[in-house]
C-alpha cells in the first residue's frame, strides 16, 4: 500500500458490543487503500465472570446497538448469555490473536471480524485458544506459524500503549477513533455513523481528498 496521507486510529475491544456495532464501518474503512487504519486494542475483560444482572445489561445494550447499526446478535450468542453457566468474557487472548495475525502477515481486521462473529453470532468461547486457532486456519495461516507467533505475542504491551494514548487524547471508552493528518489528531464520533454507510463513505472521501 502506498503511504497514506491520512491515518485513522481505532481504539476497540473485540468483545465490546458497541465495537461490534462499528464493525461494518471498520470493514468498509479497511477496504480502502487511501487511508491507513491502525488498530489499538483495549482489554476490557480479563476473565470476567458475568452474573445474571450483567448478562441482562449486555443483552439490553445489544438491542440498542442492533437498532442503531443493524448488526445481528445471533441466537446462539443470546442463548448462551441467558442460560450458560458460567459465562466468562476475556479480551486478552482474542487481542493476542489479532496482534499475532498481523505478525503472520494477514489482516488484523479480518481476525477481529471473525472473533466478533464467533462470539456475537455463533456463541463460541472467543478466548479459547482452540477457537482462535480455528479462525486462523480458516484465514489460511499455517498451523505451526500460528502457534509459534501466538505464543510469542505479548498483548499487554499493546493494551498499555492504547490506554496511554487514550489518556493522552482524553478518549472515553470503546469504540473511539481519531483521524491523524500532518501529525495532528482529531477525534471522530464513530457511533454517529452507525447504520449510515453512505454518510460514512462521504466522510472518508472528504478525509482522503483533504489529506
Amino acid at each position: 500500500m502506498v503511504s497514506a496521507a491520512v491515518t485513522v486510529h481505532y481504539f476497540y475491544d473485540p468483545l465490546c458490543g458497541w465495537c461490534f456495532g462499528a464493525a461494518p464501518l471498520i470493514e468498509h474503512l479497511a477496504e480502502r487503500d487511501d487511508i491507513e487504519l491502525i488498530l489499538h486494542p483495549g482489554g476490557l475483560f480479563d476473565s470476567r465472570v458475568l452474573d445474571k444482572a450483567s448478562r441482562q445489561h449486555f443483552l439490553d445494550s445489544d438491542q440498542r446497538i442492533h437498532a442503531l447499526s443493524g448488526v445481528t446478535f445471533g441466537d446462539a450468542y443470546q442463548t448462551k448469555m441467558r442460560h450458560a453457566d458460567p459465562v466468562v468474557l476475556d479480551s486478552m487472548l482474542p487481542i493476542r490473536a489479532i496482534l499475532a495475525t498481523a505478525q503472520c502477515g494477514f489482516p488484523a481486521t479480518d481476525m477481529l471480524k471473525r472473533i466478533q462473529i464467533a462470539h456475537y453470532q455463533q456463541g463460541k468461547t472467543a478466548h479459547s485458544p482452540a477457537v482462535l486457532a480455528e479462525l486462523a486456519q480458516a484465514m489460511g495461516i499455517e498451523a505451526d506459524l500460528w502457534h509459534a507467533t501466538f505464543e510469542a505475542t505479548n498483548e499487554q504491551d499493546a493494551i498499555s500503549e492504547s490506554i496511554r494514548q487514550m489518556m493522552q487524547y482524553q478518549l472515553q471508552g470503546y469504540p473511539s477513533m481519531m483521524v491523524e493528518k500532518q501529525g495532528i489528531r482529531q477525534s471522530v464520533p464513530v457511533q454517529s455513523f452507525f447504520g449510515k454507510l453512505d454518510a460514512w463513505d462521504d466522510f472518508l472521501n472528504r478525509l482522503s481528498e483533504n489529506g
Side-chain angles (χ1 to χ4, degrees):
M1 182 180 74
V2 177
S3 179
V6 179
T7 300
V8 171
H9 297 269
Y10 179 51
F11 297 83
Y12 75 98
D13 188 277
L15 302 187
C16 162
W18 291 97
C19 295
F20 182 48
L25 306 177
I26 299 306
E27 184 176 3
H28 187 68
L29 173 55
E31 292 173 350
R32 300 181 67 115
D33 59 7
D34 57 341
I35 300 174
E36 182 182 10
L37 173 62
I38 299 179
L39 302 183
H40 300 273
L44 272 178
F45 305 106
D46 189 353
S47 298
R48 177 179 170 184
V49 180
L50 300 184
D51 58 23
K52 293 290 186 181
S54 297
R55 297 189 207 184
Q56 189 58 52
H57 170 74
F58 283 124
L59 289 169
D60 292 343
S61 294
D62 296 341
Q63 292 183 10
R64 295 195 296 273
I65 295 165
H66 169 71
L68 288 170
S69 68
V71 298
T72 300
F73 294 85
D75 291 340
Y77 160 77
Q78 295 184 54
T79 298
K80 176 181 178 178
M81 291 291 281
R82 290 189 176 98
H83 303 297
D85 187 23
V87 173
V88 180
L89 295 185
D90 194 325
S91 307
M92 302 305 161
L93 291 187
I95 288 171
R96 184 188 299 183
I98 293 165
L99 296 170
T101 296
Q103 292 176 32
C104 289
F106 289 73
T109 50
D110 191 357
M111 178 58 82
L112 171 58
K113 178 182 177 180
R114 290 170 186 269
I115 288 170
Q116 289 173 324
I117 290 173
H119 175 62
Y120 282 112
Q121 294 184 348
Q122 299 169 344
K124 294 184 178 180
T125 302
H127 61 271
S128 164
V131 169
L132 296 170
E134 289 175 3
L135 299 180
Q137 182 180 20
M139 290 179 63
I141 303 176
E142 193 273 330
D144 288 343
L145 173 63
W146 171 256
H147 179 74
T149 306
F150 183 77
E151 291 300 319
T153 299
N154 183 346
E155 70 275 7
Q156 293 300 327
D157 289 347
I159 291 169
S160 296
E161 176 59 19
S162 294
I163 293 171
R164 185 195 69 77
Q165 291 194 40
M166 291 183 74
M167 293 178 64
Q168 177 182 354
Y169 295 103
Q170 299 181 324
L171 301 177
Q172 301 294 324
Y174 307 101
S176 290
M177 182 177 287
M178 302 196 80
V179 170
E180 181 178 357
K181 295 189 291 186
Q182 298 178 340
I184 298 174
R185 295 192 187 191
Q186 182 176 357
S187 180
V188 175
V190 61
Q191 292 186 33
S192 69
F193 291 102
F194 277 19
K196 303 173 183 177
L197 276 177
D198 288 343
W200 178 242
D201 198 44
D202 290 342
F203 171 73
L204 296 179
N205 288 336
R206 291 195 301 273
L207 275 184
S208 182
E209 290 167 0
N210 298 329

